[in-house]
């Protein structure tokens, strides 16, 4: 009996010693962030009857599987899914294996710029749309010029910076990261549409306010020039053109302000608006103040009066896929690994 007790004690001591060594090995692997070894030691402890280690073993196994899946997606250039799986693995056991994949994706310069652009669009898009719609609901002649300048500057800067980020991306339609490009493009298209609505709104309001007078002056000038020389017609038409100029003062100031702002922030839009404003100014002032009036009169009045009507468009929120939403959240949280 005594020998049996001694034998049993020796076995218990040996088992305890084995468990202690496994636990010590596990914690060493934890310091090294080696989840493969952590899983093996935790699983061995479970097999020895240490059920308290069951959850840890399962977590490490799940993390290992996610890293394997992540690596497979990375090989297929499915960066978003690969990143999400590696991030999930990191949350489970903070392994070096997960960090290796995350760092590789985070170090992609083109992806960095695109993600930054996406976050900027997400942050600013709704506020700009709301501000633009508020302006559209007001009469353009009542717009605050300083606010309008700041709004156009922010809108154009965001559009241009976002387009630059997209232009630097190497991905094609088949690559998963292209979903980010598609998302950015949707935001940019809405902002451009808002911008065009604002400009059309101004041109439409200008036309409503001035075009009847511009057309009447043009008609009288064209009729009189058939009967009299230019000098005589200029003198005859001085009063109606001066009256039109007084009526147009605020509209000229508004459109000239927009022209100046657009020329500073957008070369193409600035050029188009400069041509529009030039026609407006020449049509309003008449031949006494602008010798080119006779050459371009009909063309100028047509440009000012035949504007595209501003259409009331409802902007609907742009939905993010769950995979993309999770990616953007994880990418922001784990940027410190870069």
């Amino acid at each position: 009996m005594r020998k049996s007790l001694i034998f049993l004690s020796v076995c218990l001591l040996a088992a305890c010693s084995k468990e202690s060594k496994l636990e010590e090995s596990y914690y060493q692997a934890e310091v090294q962030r080696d989840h493969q070894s952590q899983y093996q030691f935790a699983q061995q402890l479970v097999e020895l009857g240490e059920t308290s280690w069951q959850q840890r073993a399962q977590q490490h196994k799940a993390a290992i599987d996610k890293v394997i899946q992540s690596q497979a997606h990375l090989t297929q250039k499915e960066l978003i899914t690969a990143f999400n799986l590696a991030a999930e693995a990191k949350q489970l056991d903070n392994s070096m294996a997960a960090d290796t994949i995350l760092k590789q994706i985070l170090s992609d310069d083109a992806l960095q710029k695109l993600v930054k652009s996406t976050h900027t669009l997400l942050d600013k898009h709704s506020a700009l749309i709301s501000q633009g719609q508020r302006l559209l609901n007001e009469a353009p002649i009542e717009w605050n010029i300083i606010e309008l300048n700041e709004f156009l500057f922010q809108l154009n800067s965001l559009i241009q910076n976002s387009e630059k980020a997209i232009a630097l991306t190497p991905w094609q339609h088949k690559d998963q990261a292209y979903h980010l490009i598609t998302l950015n493009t949707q935001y940019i298209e809405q902002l451009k549409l808002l911008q065009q609505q604002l400009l059309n709104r101004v041109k439409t309001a200008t036309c409503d306010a001035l075009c009847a007078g511009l057309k009447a002056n043009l008609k009288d000038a064209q009729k009189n020039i058939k009967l009299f020389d230019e000098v005589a017609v200029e003198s005859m038409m001085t009063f109606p053109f001066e009256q039109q100029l007084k009526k147009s003062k605020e509209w000229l100031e508004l459109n000239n302000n927009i022209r100046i702002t657009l020329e500073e922030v957008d070369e193409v839009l600035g050029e188009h608006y400069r041509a529009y404003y030039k026609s407006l100014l020449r049509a309003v002032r008449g031949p006494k103040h602008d010798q080119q009036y006779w050459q371009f009169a009909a063309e100028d009045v047509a440009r000012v009066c035949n504007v595209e009507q501003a259409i009331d468009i409802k902007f609907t929120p742009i939905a993010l896929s769950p995979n993309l939403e999770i990616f953007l959240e994880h990418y922001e949280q784990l940027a410190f690994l870069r």
Side-chain angles (χ1 to χ4, degrees), residues 130-145:
S130 297
Q131 187 178 358
Q133 288 181 315
R134 180 175 58 78
L135 287 169
L136 287 169
N137 289 329
E138 299 173 1
I141 203 67
E142 296 175 359
W143 288 351
N144 181 294
I145 294 298

Side-chain angles (χ1 to χ4, degrees), residues 135 143-157 160 195 198-199 202 252-274 277:
L135 287 169
W143 288 351
N144 181 294
I145 294 298
I146 295 176
E147 180 187 352
L148 178 63
N149 289 346
E150 291 177 351
F151 179 75
L152 289 174
F153 180 80
Q154 290 181 32
L155 194 62
N156 277 274
S157 295
Q160 290 176 16
Q195 183 182 66
L198 284 169
L199 299 182
V202 175
L252 288 172
E253 289 177 354
L254 173 62
N255 281 281
N256 191 38
N257 174 79
I258 293 173
R259 174 193 67 81
I260 293 170
T261 303
L262 290 180
E263 285 181 355
E264 289 179 354
V265 298
D266 189 305
E267 183 178 344
V268 176
L269 273 180
E271 183 178 344
H272 284 302
Y273 216 89
R274 180 169 62 251
Y277 176 73

Side-chain angles (χ1 to χ4, degrees), residues 193-204:
L193 180 58
L194 174 63
Q195 183 182 66
Q196 195 57 54
Q197 277 187 289
L198 284 169
L199 299 182
N200 286 346
R201 180 83 170 84
V202 175
K203 290 179 179 179
T204 300

Side-chain angles (χ1 to χ4, degrees), residues 174-198:
K174 63 180 180 180
D175 299 322
Q176 197 179 47
Y178 198 85
H179 294 316
L180 276 172
I181 299 175
T182 302
L183 180 66
N184 275 252
T185 301
Q186 287 177 306
Y187 280 113
I188 292 168
E189 286 175 351
Q190 282 201 358
L191 295 175
K192 283 185 172 181
L193 180 58
L194 174 63
Q195 183 182 66
Q196 195 57 54
Q197 277 187 289
L198 284 169

Side-chain angles (χ1 to χ4, degrees), residues 33 80 82-92 94-95 98-107 112 115 119 326-338:
R33 299 168 61 200
I80 294 171
F83 192 89
N84 286 349
L85 286 166
E88 290 169 10
K90 182 175 177 63
Q91 289 175 341
L92 288 171
N94 194 31
S95 69
D99 276 9
T100 299
I101 296 174
L102 292 170
K103 287 178 181 179
Q104 181 178 341
I105 298 174
L106 284 164
S107 65
Q112 284 181 40
V115 171
H119 277 297
I326 292 169
F327 167 77
L328 290 170
E329 182 181 345
H330 283 159
Y331 195 95
E332 188 81 359
Q333 293 171 347
L334 297 170
F336 68 91
L337 290 172
R338 189 176 301 125

